[in-house]
Amino acid sequence: MTALFNFQSLLLVILLLICTSSYAHYVFPGIMDRNKDGVFGIFWKAARIGERLSPYVSICCVLMAISIFMGQ
């Protein structure tokens, strides 16, 4: 089953996108800030979400890890 049809997998993909984009913006801020529009703007927006809501994103990551661990 793909991540589009499984809600837990979709949430995991979104969390990984937010965390990866935040880290990439921290390491390469110039590249991320140049691409605010278009397709690459999604990564810039995800980086902003990760920076501004970092406590909530980290709590969601921990909860997702626990739910995946308990499911296996």
Side-chain angles (χ1 to χ4, degrees):
M1 194 180 285
T2 64
L4 296 176
F5 299 117
N6 188 353
F7 186 67
Q8 185 176 3
S9 297
L10 178 65
L11 287 178
L12 181 64
V13 168
I14 291 171
L15 279 173
L16 288 174
L17 175 73
I18 290 171
C19 294
T20 304
S21 297
S22 298
Y23 179 74
H25 187 262
Y26 176 73
V27 175
F28 305 112
I31 294 172
M32 295 288 283
D33 289 337
R34 276 185 276 166
N35 298 317
K36 291 181 183 179
D37 298 325
V39 177
F40 293 110
I42 294 170
F43 299 111
W44 182 80
K45 291 174 187 173
R48 288 290 165 214
I49 291 171
E51 291 171 358
R52 293 182 181 171
L53 299 175
S54 61
Y56 300 111
V57 171
S58 63
I59 289 171
C60 289
C61 287
V62 168
L63 291 175
M64 186 63 70
I66 291 171
S67 70
I68 290 172
F69 178 73
M70 297 301 265
Q72 293 181 356

